[in-house]
Amino acid sequence: MTKKNAPIESLLAEGRVFEPPSRLVAQARISGMKGYESLQNEAKDDSNAFWSRLALETLDWSKPFTQVLDESNAPFYRWFADGELNVSYNCLDRHMGTENEHKTAIIFEADDGAVQKVTYRELLDRTCQLSNALRSLGVKKGDRVVIYMPMTVEGVIAMQACARIGATHSVVFGGFSAKALQERLQDVGAVAVVTANFQLRGGKELPLKAIVDEALANKACPSVRDVLVFNRTSTSCNMDSRRDHDMLELMRRQPKTAAPEIVESEHPLFVLYTSGSTGKPKGVQHSTGGYLLWANLTMKWTFDLRPEDIFWCTADIGWITGHTYVAYGPLAAGATQVVFEGVPTYPDAGRFWKMIEEHGVSIFYTAPTAIRSLIKFSEASPAVHPRNWDLASLRLLGSVGEPINPEAWMWFYRSVGGERCPIVDTFWQTETGGHMIAPMPGATPLVPGSCTLPLPGIEAAIVDEAGGDVPDGAGGLLVIKKPWPSMIRTIWGDPERFKKSYFPDELNGYYLAGDGAVRSSDRGYFRITGRIDDVLNVSGHRMGTMEIESALVAMSDLVAEAAVVGRPDDITGEAIVAFVVLKGDTPRGDAAKAMAKVLREWVGREIGPIAKPKDIRFGDNLPKTRSGKIMRRLLRSIARGEALAQDTSTLENPAILEQLAQTN
C-alpha cells in the first residue's frame, strides 16, 4: 500500500482552448491577460494597499477604517475592523437618487409562471417595513433570526431586513426536515423565525410552517419568541396567537422608512450551516464589510457586469450561492436579476430556456448537476432542447456548485451559449464567501473542466500533506496561502473546530479548502479533482473521483451523469464504484452487465486500466438534494452496503436508493 501522503495522480488530459471573444476583451472591466496580471501584481506588491483601495472604492462606509488586516490572532483574521457600515444601505439606500432608484432590481417568476417586477425603490420600502416589524417585536442588533422561506422576493427582503437592523440571519434551505431545522435553531440561539405557510415547487404546495411547528414543539427551542409567517398561498396553516404573526399584515402597519443600524465591519452578517450528513452541522460565520466587498467585486470581475445586464443565478437563498449571488452581490452592484421560485423541469425541461428568452437574460449562472440533467432531458425529448428557444440575449454563462465535466461544459457552450458565450467555471465554497478561482470573461482563455486562475488578491496553491508546494502537473491539496476579506471568520460557537477543520497545524497556516486539485504544466490552470475525502487509493494509486466521472460522462452518446465513490476492497485496498445514469432506459440483468462492461473498457482506454470501476450501478437518476447536489456520502454508504443512518429528508427522489444498491 502507498503512503497516505503519496501524490494524487492526475490522469485526465484536456487540450481544447477557447480564447475570449475579441468584442468582449475590448469592452471588459478587466481586459486581456495584461489587465488580470496588473491587478495580481498590485495585490502581490502591497496587499493591504490593494484591499484598502478596493474597499474604499466599492463600498459606502459610515466610518472609514484605518486598519486593513489584523493578523494578531490568526487564523481569526479581522478585516477593516475599525470601519463601520450597513449592508442593506449598501445594497438599497445608496441607489436612491441615482438612475438605479426606479430600475428593476428583481424580476420574480413564480412556479406557475406569474411574473412580478420590483424596483430598487420598492425593495427598499418593503425592506424598511419588515425591519420595523422585526424591531417592533424586540429583535435587535446581535440577535439571530432563522429564515426558512421559499425562493421568493420576500426571502430576499427578510435577509436584507435582518442586515438592516444588525440582526445576524441564518437561512435554512426549505427542503430541510424539522430535525435539521431544530438543530440549527438551537445551535444559533435564534430569537425569531421568518417562514411561509407553504412553498410552491413543480405545481405542488409543500409545507414550511408545519415543519417550523414540529421543530419548535415541546419547547425544543426556548430562545424563539416569535414566528413571522408569509402567506405564500391561500391555504391556511396553524397559527399560535401567542407566538405567530402574519408577516404581510405586520408589515402593512409599518412605515416605509427605517434607519439602518450601523455596525462594525466584523459584525456577523450571517451564519450558514453546511449540511454535513454526519455529525453536528457547522455554522459558517461571515462578517459584514469583507463579505460584502467580495460579493460586489466578484459580480463585476467574474461576470463582467454591465448596467444593462439581466443576471440570473438559479441557486436558492438557502445556500451560499443564493446569499452572495442573489441576496447581496447583485443588489450591491445595482444589477437587475431574475429570481425563480420553481424547478427547471416544470412544467417541462424547457423551463430555463423559455425564461432566458422571455426575460432577455444575458448572464446565466447554474450548477453542473442541472446542466447534466437537462442534457438528458433534451436528448430524450427534442422538444425541450435549448435550440427551440431564442437565446441570443445570452453573453455569458457560469457554472457553480461542483466541478463541471468537460463534456457537460462543451454541451453548455454549444447548445446554450451558441459557441459565443464564455463559461465562467467558478470554484469557491460556503467558507470562502465568493469566487476564489474563476476565469475573467474578457481576459482568460478557457479550458473545459478547468476553473483556470485565482482571482486577483487570492493566493491559491497546491501542496502535499506537509504543506510543501507540488510541481505543476502533479495533484495535491488545494490551499489558500493568504487571508482574504470574505473568508469564514469562525464556526459559530466552536472556534477549535474552525482551526482544526480549516487551518490544520501541518499546513503552515494555510487555509485548507478540502479539495484535491492539479495545476496544468502549460498554463498553470487549476482543475479540481474532487473532495479530499473522495480521493481513492487503488493498489497504491491515489486518484480523484472527478476524473473518472468526467471520463464516463465523456461517453456522451450513452451517459448523462455519473458519480464515483470508493469502497473497501481486500485486494486493492479500495475499489472504484460508479453510479451511472444513462440517456436511454435504465438496464437490468444481462443488459446491465453488458453495459457495465462497455463502460469499464471505455474508462480503461480514456484514463488507464487502474481507473476501471469494479462495480457499476445504474439508476434512473442520482440521489440529490432538492438544490441539485449529488449526495456522495449517501452513495458511499450504498457502495459499502451500510444501513442508511443519515438524514435523507432533502432527497428529491428516495425511490432510486434500491436501484442503486444493485451491483453489475
Side-chain angles (χ1 to χ4, degrees):
M1 290 303 285
T2 186
K3 292 185 292 186
K4 184 176 180 281
N5 63 357
I8 301 169
E9 299 175 39
S10 178
L11 305 164
L12 202 68
E14 177 57 66
R16 292 169 290 194
V17 180
F18 298 85
E19 296 291 333
S22 54
R23 57 180 168 74
L24 214 159
V25 175
Q27 301 169 3
R29 287 173 182 271
I30 296 171
S31 178
M33 286 305 288
K34 281 187 178 172
Y36 167 77
E37 286 158 5
S38 168
L39 280 170
Q40 274 292 36
N41 291 335
E42 183 191 349
K44 282 176 185 166
D45 291 345
D46 188 338
S47 70
N48 275 6
F50 172 78
W51 291 117
S52 176
R53 174 180 73 80
L54 291 170
L56 292 169
E57 289 175 0
T58 307
L59 301 180
D60 281 6
W61 296 85
S62 304
K63 178 189 167 192
F65 53 87
T66 61
Q67 184 184 23
V68 179
L69 172 62
D70 176 359
E71 302 179 79
S72 60
N73 187 27
F76 299 95
Y77 298 103
R78 291 164 59 80
W79 284 89
F80 322 115
D82 61 343
E84 296 178 356
L85 70 167
N86 181 275
V87 162
S88 178
Y89 180 92
N90 272 274
C91 291
L92 302 172
D93 304 61
R94 72 185 307 197
H95 300 303
M96 299 304 108
T98 74
E99 59 192 11
N100 287 345
E101 180 172 356
H102 301 294
K103 178 181 179 176
T104 299
I106 294 174
I107 302 167
F108 172 66
E109 180 160 323
D111 186 68
D112 64 3
V115 174
Q116 174 194 351
K117 294 184 178 181
V118 184
T119 67
Y120 274 91
R121 174 80 258 173
E122 291 164 337
L123 200 60
L124 174 60
D125 289 350
R126 289 162 68 179
T127 296
C128 286
Q129 285 181 301
L130 185 53
S131 300
N132 290 326
L134 289 166
R135 280 172 167 159
S136 74
L137 298 172
V139 181
K140 61 187 186 304
K141 177 185 174 182
D143 285 342
R144 278 80 63 201
V145 175
V146 162
I147 297 170
Y148 187 63
M149 289 282 273
M151 195 57 190
T152 55
V153 177
E154 285 72 17
V156 174
I157 289 170
M159 295 166 77
Q160 286 286 338
C162 288
R164 193 166 192 84
I165 66 173
T168 300
H169 63 67
S170 186
V171 184
V172 177
F173 174 62
F176 275 124
S177 66
K179 181 176 178 294
L181 175 61
Q182 186 186 82
E183 286 173 348
R184 288 154 176 76
L185 285 162
Q186 290 170 338
D187 191 67
V188 83
V191 302
V193 180
V194 182
T195 188
N197 60 343
F198 292 88
Q199 60 178 328
L200 289 171
R201 284 177 64 88
K204 298 177 185 155
E205 279 192 0
L206 302 170
L208 288 178
K209 174 60 164 55
I211 293 169
V212 172
D213 289 344
E214 189 182 338
L216 298 178
N218 304 316
K219 299 182 179 172
C221 306
S223 61
V224 176
R225 302 190 305 260
D226 297 281
V227 177
L228 286 77
V229 183
F230 164 54
N231 285 306
R232 173 66 190 92
T233 71
S234 57
T235 308
S236 62
C237 64
N238 178 62
M239 294 288 281
D240 180 337
S241 59
R242 295 161 300 178
R243 183 196 69 196
D244 300 343
H245 313 268
D246 182 316
M247 185 177 105
L248 294 183
E249 188 55 44
L250 203 57
M251 285 170 65
R252 274 192 281 272
R253 299 201 294 264
Q254 304 296 333
K256 293 179 179 179
T257 56
E261 183 77 31
I262 305 304
V263 301
E264 334 61 85
S265 180
E266 282 297 316
H267 180 75
L269 175 63
F270 64 86
V271 175
L272 184 57
Y273 286 85
T274 56
S275 51
S277 56
T278 56
K280 184 182 171 188
K282 288 187 293 196
V284 173
Q285 180 181 317
H286 275 289
S287 74
T288 293
Y291 170 81
L292 191 66
L293 168 64
W294 200 232
N296 196 333
L297 277 177
T298 49
M299 283 296 302
K300 294 168 181 173
W301 286 354
T302 311
F303 300 118
D304 191 36
L305 188 71
R306 298 174 192 168
E308 67 273 16
D309 276 319
I310 308 292
F311 176 81
W312 183 17
C313 168
T314 65
D316 191 280
I317 55 170
W319 309 112
I320 187 65
T321 306
H323 281 53
T324 309
Y325 301 110
V326 177
Y328 291 118
L331 299 176
T336 296
Q337 66 170 319
V338 173
V339 170
F340 174 46
E341 180 178 37
V343 293
T345 52
Y346 176 80
D348 59 50
R351 183 72 181 268
F352 274 3
W353 323 131
K354 179 174 180 282
M355 286 178 62
I356 290 169
E357 178 182 274
E358 288 184 350
H359 301 305
V361 172
S362 54
I363 303 170
F364 179 59
Y365 190 39
T366 195
T369 48
I371 296 162
R372 289 191 296 262
S373 66
L374 292 169
I375 293 173
K376 179 175 180 176
F377 279 111
S378 64
E379 298 205 359
S381 173
V384 297
H385 194 283
R387 73 170 75 89
N388 297 301
W389 285 268
D390 180 0
L391 307 181
S393 60
L394 287 170
R395 68 174 188 88
L396 185 63
L397 302 173
S399 165
V400 60
E402 61 182 7
I404 184 168
N405 316 97
E407 290 311 313
W409 192 103
M410 288 302 305
W411 184 89
F412 199 29
Y413 181 71
R414 287 172 178 151
S415 299
V416 181
E419 300 189 24
R420 71 180 186 283
C421 300
I423 297 176
V424 289
D425 175 3
T426 60
F427 167 80
W428 61 297
Q429 302 169 307
T430 302
E431 295 86 348
T432 70
H435 305 148
M436 301 300 281
I437 308 173
M440 292 185 166
T444 319
L446 304 174
V447 172
S450 169
C451 48
T452 68
L453 294 168
L455 292 185
I458 305 301
E459 196 171 322
I462 299 170
V463 301
D464 58 26
E465 268 95 345
D469 288 301
V470 303
D472 288 353
L477 312 179
L478 179 62
V479 297
I480 311 296
K481 288 188 171 182
K482 284 186 175 176
W484 66 100
S486 67
M487 66 192 297
I488 176 175
R489 293 308 195 257
T490 187
I491 291 172
W492 182 265
D494 201 343
E496 283 307 308
R497 189 180 182 189
F498 164 72
K499 284 199 287 190
K500 194 172 157 188
S501 299
Y502 302 111
F503 294 91
D505 292 340
E506 64 272 18
L507 288 186
N508 307 323
Y510 302 156
Y511 168 84
L512 176 65
D515 284 289
V518 63
R519 193 162 48 201
S520 66
S521 308
D522 55 349
R523 296 174 179 271
Y525 277 13
F526 288 77
R527 180 164 49 79
I528 308 301
T529 55
R531 297 293 294 169
I532 293 168
D533 46 9
D534 287 339
V535 171
L536 306 176
N537 193 336
V538 183
S539 302
H541 296 265
R542 296 182 80 219
M543 293 174 285
T545 55
M546 187 64 200
E547 298 201 327
I548 304 165
E549 291 173 12
S550 290
L552 285 161
V553 174
M555 204 171 189
S556 53
D557 57 330
L558 291 176
V559 177
E561 202 162 21
V564 169
V565 300
R567 66 164 175 79
D569 186 89
D570 292 341
I571 299 167
T572 58
E574 202 164 15
I576 299 169
V577 183
F579 296 89
V580 176
V581 178
L582 297 176
K583 287 182 174 173
D585 294 336
T586 303
R588 297 283 179 267
D590 289 346
K593 286 181 171 62
M595 179 58 73
K597 184 171 184 287
V598 169
L599 296 179
R600 277 192 196 94
E601 294 306 315
W602 169 266
V603 172
R605 286 195 300 275
E606 283 287 290
I607 298 182
I610 193 69
K612 284 185 182 181
K614 191 160 189 177
D615 303 347
I616 293 184
R617 306 173 181 206
F618 298 103
D620 296 338
N621 40 47
L622 295 175
K624 294 176 187 174
T625 65
R626 290 200 339 222
S627 68
K629 279 219 171 191
I630 298 169
M631 299 175 77
R632 284 183 168 81
R633 285 191 183 90
L634 188 63
L635 291 176
R636 280 199 288 275
S637 294
I638 295 170
R640 293 166 186 168
E642 298 167 350
L644 302 181
Q646 60 249 53
D647 182 6
T648 57
S649 63
T650 59
L651 193 59
E652 188 85 77
N653 44 357
I656 54 143
L657 297 180
E658 198 173 319
Q659 278 184 353
L660 297 171
Q662 306 300 314
T663 312
N664 299 294

